[in-house]
């Protein structure tokens, strides 16, 4: 669901967030209009608004875990949003990483790329059965990495309450493997910087 | 300078949450794992609060975080002190125009990149990472920022490995 359909219609913060995202054509490959959130991070108000919107939504949902992908493919920069949300709602932050980055014991889940597969890992013992979890990412396209994240959390017995992204495709899935998907803005289609 | 020498009561709580993993990523290395700190909301918040208390009100407009664990600590600090967050990344991850700084590893070289236009001349900047070992990546970060005319006020790290700061002490003492 989009934030604008879910209580935030007309909220001026959403426009500010959308405008702060830069479109980079033909990255990482020709034909892709890359949604670059680094320009959002340069705009203190828009960055703060992004975190505040997520915090307002999740603070009273009894969530004790915020999980985010990092360095998975090119798109996943959940690391820059997840910790701030976790701090504000009093939850743990759990990073989900490419193989061999996390030290100690991990569990691992495969996900599909356009060509081939890759794996996402999480620390054993980071979360306990019954914890309520949020998965955060900057952008959802196919949902492949988010689905892998959900599977990892569920394998450790957590209940994934929702997946949240800053940018998501409007004609894409509204739910991800049965989990609600909450998106702030649609992708920008033309170059704006 | 180090916070632990000032004996802030929060320091021991933070230290206790950092896990040491022997022989990772290779034999002989005692890896300082901060992910266990992130599982403790109070101690994670204390970590951020200590940095925010130090840097708030110092007219710092840029917090630059080094990939990837600098991305965990940098943004909350940036948000709290009213600064932008600028990710410094390995090659080819940042889209669009970048500047690039090479640095030396134990065996070989690596490279750190920053977006052109992210930081303006005369901005006051903080560099954030989870850990300082030799200081090689931090020096590359400082160079990137100085090349675009920023003033690096300080480098902030959660953990310091004091035995490994060999060639870079002279450079840091200029900043601290």
């Amino acid at each position: 669901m989009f934030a604008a359909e879910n209580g935030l219609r007309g909220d001026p913060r959403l426009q500010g967030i959308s405008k702060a995202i830069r479109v980079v054509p033909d990255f990482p490959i020709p034909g892709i209009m890359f949604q670059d959130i680094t320009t959002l991070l340069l705009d203190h108000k828009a960055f703060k608004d992004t975190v505040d919107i997520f915090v307002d939504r999740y603070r009273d949902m009894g969530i004790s875990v915020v999980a985010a992908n990092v360095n998975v493919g090119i798109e996943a920069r959940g690391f820059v949003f997840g910790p701030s949300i976790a701090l504000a709602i009093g939850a743990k932050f759990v990073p989900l990483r490419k193989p061999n980055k996390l030290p100690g014991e991990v569990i691992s889940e495969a996900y599909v790329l356009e060509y081939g597969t890759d794996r996402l890992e999480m620390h054993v013992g980071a979360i306990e059965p019954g914890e309520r979890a949020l998965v955060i990412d900057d952008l959802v396209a196919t949902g492949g990495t988010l689905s892998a994240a959900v599977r990892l959390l569920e394998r450790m017995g957590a209940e994934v309450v929702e997946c949240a992204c800053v940018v998501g495709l409007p004609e894409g899935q509204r739910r991800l493997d049965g989990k609600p998907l909450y998106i702030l803005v649609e992708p920008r289609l033309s170059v704006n910087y | 300078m180090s916070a632990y020498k000032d004996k802030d009561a929060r320091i021991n709580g933070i230290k206790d949450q950092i896990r040491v993993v022997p022989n990772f990523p290779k034999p002989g290395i005692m890896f300082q794992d901060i992910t266990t700190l992130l599982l403790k909301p109070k101690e994670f918040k204390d970590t951020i609060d200590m940095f925010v208390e130090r840097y708030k009100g110092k007219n710092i407009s840029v917090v630059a975080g080094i990939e990837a664990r600098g991305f965990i600590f940098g943004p909350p600090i940036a948000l709290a002190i009213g600064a932008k967050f600028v990710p410094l990344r390995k090659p080819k991850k940042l889209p669009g125009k970048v500047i690039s700084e090479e640095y030396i590893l134990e065996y070989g070289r690596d490279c750190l990149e920053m977006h052109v236009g992210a930081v303006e001349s005369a901005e006051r900047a903080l560099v954030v990472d989870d850990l300082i070992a030799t200081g090689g990546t931090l020096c590359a970060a400082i160079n990137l920022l100085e090349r675009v005319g920023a003033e690096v006020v300080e480098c902030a790290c959660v953990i310091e490995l004091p035995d490994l700061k060999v060639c870079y002490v002279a450079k840091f003492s200029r900043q601290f």
Side-chain angles (χ1 to χ4, degrees):
Chain A
M1 70 203 84
F2 278 91
E5 299 156 9
N6 204 265
L8 292 183
R9 178 172 302 282
D11 189 316
R13 292 176 300 177
L14 293 177
Q15 245 202 345
I17 290 165
S18 177
K19 281 195 178 147
I21 295 170
R22 173 174 76 152
V23 176
V24 181
D26 302 319
F27 183 89
I29 54 177
I32 304 235
M33 297 295 274
F34 187 82
Q35 308 290 310
D36 180 16
I37 53 91
T38 65
T39 40
L40 173 67
L41 310 178
L42 299 179
D43 181 335
H44 178 262
K45 180 186 184 317
F47 184 17
K48 186 170 186 306
D49 286 345
T50 305
V51 172
D52 286 349
I53 290 172
F54 286 130
V55 169
D56 288 342
R57 180 176 179 79
Y58 297 116
R59 68 156 43 96
D60 296 322
M61 285 196 188
I63 287 168
S64 59
V65 177
V66 176
N69 297 341
V70 70
N71 293 349
V72 175
I74 297 281
E75 293 86 5
R77 277 158 300 270
F79 258 28
V80 294
F81 299 101
S84 296
I85 298 168
L87 282 165
I89 69 174
K92 322 175 174 178
F93 176 70
V94 176
L96 309 177
R97 301 205 66 174
K98 272 187 156 168
N100 306 314
K101 300 283 193 172
L102 290 171
E105 223 192 324
V106 295
I107 59 166
S108 158
E109 185 72 32
Y111 63 97
V112 177
L113 296 171
E114 194 180 5
Y115 298 106
T117 62
D118 205 338
R119 301 190 75 84
L120 198 58
E121 292 188 341
M122 180 172 83
H123 268 139
V124 168
I127 61 179
E128 287 162 39
E131 293 211 68
R132 288 164 60 79
L134 170 68
V135 182
I136 180 99
D137 209 340
D138 63 331
L139 181 143
V140 55
T142 62
T145 45
L146 278 175
S147 292
V150 170
R151 288 195 298 274
L152 274 174
L153 290 161
E154 290 184 335
R155 278 168 59 189
M156 296 303 282
E159 178 198 343
V160 178
V161 173
E162 197 157 271
C163 296
C165 297
V166 179
V167 188
L169 293 168
E171 68 274 10
Q173 308 175 53
R174 296 312 176 96
R175 294 178 77 82
L176 200 75
D177 299 340
K179 302 298 166 195
L181 180 58
Y182 184 75
I183 301 169
L184 294 192
V185 297
E186 297 178 16
R188 298 190 71 92
L189 300 175
S190 55
V191 175
N192 54 346
Y193 275 76
Chain B
M1 66 202 67
S2 307
Y4 60 79
K5 298 197 175 113
D6 301 331
K7 301 209 186 335
D8 188 304
R10 294 171 287 186
I11 285 283
N12 284 331
I14 293 166
K15 265 179 92 164
D16 286 346
Q17 297 309 326
I18 296 169
R19 172 173 75 155
V20 178
V21 180
N23 302 313
F24 183 90
K26 43 184 206 202
I29 302 214
M30 299 293 276
F31 187 84
Q32 306 289 317
D33 180 17
I34 51 88
T35 65
T36 40
L37 173 64
L38 310 178
L39 300 180
K40 296 292 181 180
K42 178 196 183 303
E43 286 78 7
F44 182 20
K45 185 172 187 304
D46 285 345
T47 307
I48 300 298
D49 285 350
M50 289 185 68
F51 287 126
V52 171
E53 287 159 23
R54 183 175 179 81
Y55 299 117
K56 200 170 185 137
K58 301 258 164 75
N59 205 26
I60 290 169
S61 59
V62 177
V63 173
I66 298 179
E67 166 167 12
R69 290 180 287 269
F71 292 6
I72 298 176
F73 298 97
I77 297 169
L79 284 168
I81 69 173
K84 353 175 163 169
F85 178 70
V86 176
L88 304 181
R89 300 206 70 173
K90 297 282 166 69
K92 304 204 171 62
K93 303 274 185 89
L94 290 172
K97 271 172 119 179
V98 294
I99 59 167
S100 175
E101 180 79 19
E102 215 179 45
Y103 60 101
I104 312 273
L105 295 173
E106 194 180 4
Y107 298 106
R109 297 161 183 271
D110 207 337
C111 210
L112 207 57
E113 292 187 341
M114 180 172 80
H115 266 140
V116 168
V119 175
E120 288 165 40
S121 186
E123 292 208 72
R124 284 164 57 78
L126 182 65
V127 180
V128 176
D129 207 351
D130 65 325
L131 181 145
I132 170 175
T134 60
T137 12
L138 284 171
C139 277
I142 293 170
N143 288 341
L144 278 172
L145 290 160
E146 290 185 340
R147 278 165 61 188
V148 297
E151 176 197 345
V152 179
V153 172
E154 200 158 87
C155 295
C157 302
V158 180
I159 302 165
E160 170 190 51
L161 299 183
D163 300 333
L164 290 186
K165 283 211 307 302
V166 271
C167 359
Y168 298 95
V169 170
K171 175 122 184 165
F172 284 136
S173 64
R174 174 164 69 81
Q175 306 290 347
F176 286 48

